[in-house]
Amino acid sequence: MSDPIIELRQYTLKPGRRDAFVERFEREFVDTQQAVGIDVLGMFADLDDADRFVWFRGFSSLQQRDASLAAFYDGPVWAALRDETNADLIDSDDVLMLRPRPGKPGLPVSVFGELAVRVWSLDDGSSALEAAIDAGGGDMLLSHPGPNTFRLPVRDDRVVVALGGDGLPGGELQTLRLRPTPRSPLR
């Protein structure tokens, strides 16, 4: 049985470093992650924070996640560029491990110039929130039950993440307005 995982990763970069970081990321890390079984699903510049890079990556299971992450982070490309890349980062630990709802794609098929992402805390009222997201035409991701078995940190927040959609209820923990980077698969 498949247990897909989608990571929502938010990086805070040193001021003025985003463009160079994105260029290096797209040149060096997209193909090398794909080669070890990591699906780079979308890469974005935050329209409201010039120093934030947001991206999604996917895995078919926890086991595949562990194997693919080990292959990448213990591999030669990351070893060669780790110090240079980490020098651009203030924070790379803002990571949510998510899953699509059964029978739903989880990520939109395309983005028309901008992707709105909203994050709500998951509580007992989540069914009303899920209904509102569905009615507004958005896609949705839910917290993955985990566990995180790889050495990289993941937030343990239980959340609902809406991607797109109109007329969604307020009360979200976070709202992101994102523009795809040049090589983003999700455009």
Side-chain angles (χ1 to χ4, degrees):
M1 181 172 171
S2 177
D3 187 23
I5 297 167
I6 296 174
E7 291 181 349
L8 168 56
R9 307 185 63 83
Q10 299 182 59
Y11 293 172
T12 302
L13 302 164
K14 291 182 179 170
R17 295 300 306 156
R18 184 171 68 190
D19 289 346
F21 182 90
V22 167
E23 192 276 324
R24 181 184 328 109
F25 189 95
E26 292 187 337
R27 182 186 68 238
E28 302 291 348
F29 299 138
V30 173
D31 295 333
T32 53
Q33 288 186 80
Q34 305 260 44
V36 296
I38 298 170
D39 291 325
V40 177
L41 302 169
M43 301 167 295
F44 301 90
D46 187 323
L47 293 170
D48 298 316
D49 185 343
D51 300 318
R52 184 176 308 270
F53 172 69
V54 178
W55 63 297
F56 293 90
R57 68 180 172 190
F59 309 89
S60 62
S61 68
L62 282 169
Q63 296 77 17
Q64 188 258 331
R65 178 178 180 264
D66 285 349
S68 293
L69 290 176
F72 176 74
Y73 288 106
D74 295 336
V77 173
W78 180 248
L81 296 170
R82 172 184 49 231
D83 293 342
E84 177 184 359
T85 301
N86 284 335
D88 285 339
L89 294 165
I90 293 172
D91 178 29
S92 62
D93 294 349
D94 190 348
V95 179
L96 291 169
M97 199 161 79
L98 307 165
R99 63 181 169 83
R101 286 186 303 164
K104 301 286 185 173
L107 287 176
V109 174
S110 62
V111 174
F112 300 104
E114 182 180 317
L115 176 64
V117 176
R118 292 187 234 172
V119 180
W120 286 268
S121 178
L122 184 64
D123 60 22
D124 291 334
S126 66
S127 61
L129 178 57
E130 291 177 25
I133 294 169
D134 283 340
D139 291 304
M140 178 183 340
L141 300 168
L142 305 170
S143 293
H144 192 282
N148 175 27
T149 52
F150 193 73
R151 65 184 180 259
L152 297 178
V154 171
R155 290 172 33 194
D156 62 0
D157 304 21
R158 295 188 61 235
V159 297
V160 172
V161 177
L163 301 127
D166 296 318
L168 300 181
E172 63 267 23
L173 297 172
Q174 182 179 33
T175 299
L176 300 168
R177 291 183 326 114
L178 306 174
R179 181 190 72 240
T181 63
R183 279 198 64 197
S184 180
L186 184 56
R187 298 191 61 72

